[in-house]
Amino acid sequence: EKPEKPEKPAKEPMSWVVRGDEVVRTAESQIQPGDRPFTAPRESTQSENTAATYAMRVEQAEPTLTTLESRIAGMDPLSFNVLTTKTPNAFQPADIQSYQQAARNFVNAVLRRESGAVISPSEFAEARAQYLPWAGDSPAVLAQKRRSRQIIFDSYKRAAGKAYQPPPLPARNPKLDELKRRQQARPK
C-alpha cells in the first residue's frame, strides 16, 4: 500500500479590491475595512453604441432648432411650405438650410431608432409635425415640441449608458450668431 499523501491546504479564494488609489489582488481573509470590490469596466454593447450615435445626432440638431423656432413659427405657413418643400437648396436662405439639415438629423435619428427601416415621406412629415418648429406654431406648442425633443434625447442618453459622449462643441456659425443677436434685440 502507498502511504497517504498529506492533504494540501485548500487555496483561499482571492479577490480584486480597490484599496486607496490602487487595485490589488488579495486573499478574501485579508480584505480590509475601506476596501471596495473591483469590477473591470465592461465594453459598451452594440445597442448602447447605436443609442449613443442617435443621441449625439439629436443633440447636434437641438441648438439650431431652438435658435430658429421663433423665426420659423412667425413665418407665413404657405411661404414656409414653399421654401422647405419646393425651393431648391441653393435658393433657400441660410437659416432655412440650417433648419432643414437639423430637421433631417433629428427626424432620421428618431425614426431609424424606432423602426430601423427605410423612412417613408409620410413618416418623415408626421415626425416633423410632432417634434419640430413649424410656421404658425404658438409659443405653447413650441415649448411642447421642445420638451418632446428633450424627452427623446434623455431616453437615448439613458439607453446609451457610458457609450454616450457629448459631441465636441461646434464651430461658430456667424450667420446663426447674427440671427440670434437680432432675435434677442427684437422687442417682444
Side-chain angles (χ1 to χ4, degrees):
E1 275 184 46
K2 292 184 186 177
E4 289 187 28
K5 289 185 184 178
E7 284 187 29
K8 289 184 182 177
K11 285 189 176 179
E12 183 174 358
M14 302 291 284
S15 294
W16 287 96
V17 296
V18 178
R19 182 173 292 151
D21 293 336
E22 296 180 355
V23 175
V24 295
R25 188 165 190 225
T26 186
E28 287 188 6
S29 64
Q30 300 298 312
I31 294 176
Q32 302 172 4
D35 285 351
R36 299 180 317 275
F38 172 76
T39 45
R42 67 171 178 79
E43 292 292 319
S44 300
T45 65
Q46 180 61 41
S47 178
E48 289 170 329
N49 289 334
T50 300
T53 298
Y54 291 132
M56 286 185 272
R57 289 174 67 185
V58 166
E59 185 174 27
Q60 184 184 39
E62 186 56 31
T64 301
L65 297 172
T66 301
T67 298
L68 295 174
E69 69 183 6
S70 61
R71 171 154 161 38
I72 298 296
M75 291 181 74
D76 169 64
L78 184 58
S79 298
F80 180 72
N81 188 46
V82 168
L83 273 173
T84 57
T85 63
K86 310 279 187 226
T87 306
N89 197 46
F91 298 110
Q92 293 175 351
D95 56 347
I96 295 297
Q97 289 180 11
S98 292
Y99 169 82
Q100 294 278 74
Q101 177 56 35
R104 281 188 296 273
N105 217 12
F106 182 89
V107 171
N108 284 330
V110 170
L111 295 180
R112 284 270 187 250
R113 173 103 170 117
E114 288 177 0
S115 72
V118 174
I119 301 166
S120 73
S122 65
E123 286 175 303
F124 198 90
E126 191 63 34
R128 284 178 76 134
Q130 181 178 356
Y131 295 112
L132 305 179
W134 206 254
D137 281 349
S138 69
V141 169
L142 291 173
Q144 188 178 15
K145 288 179 175 183
R146 197 176 322 112
R147 179 73 185 129
S148 293
R149 292 192 307 270
Q150 187 64 48
I151 289 168
I152 292 285
F153 177 56
D154 291 345
S155 71
Y156 287 5
K157 281 196 315 188
R158 273 192 309 279
K162 293 180 182 178
Y164 172 76
Q165 298 294 320
L169 293 174
R172 301 298 302 192
N173 182 332
K175 290 180 182 177
L176 277 178
D177 291 344
E178 175 61 20
L179 180 63
K180 261 190 219 178
R181 189 189 60 71
R182 277 193 264 148
Q183 283 182 329
Q184 290 169 347
R186 190 182 310 164
K188 303 242 176 191

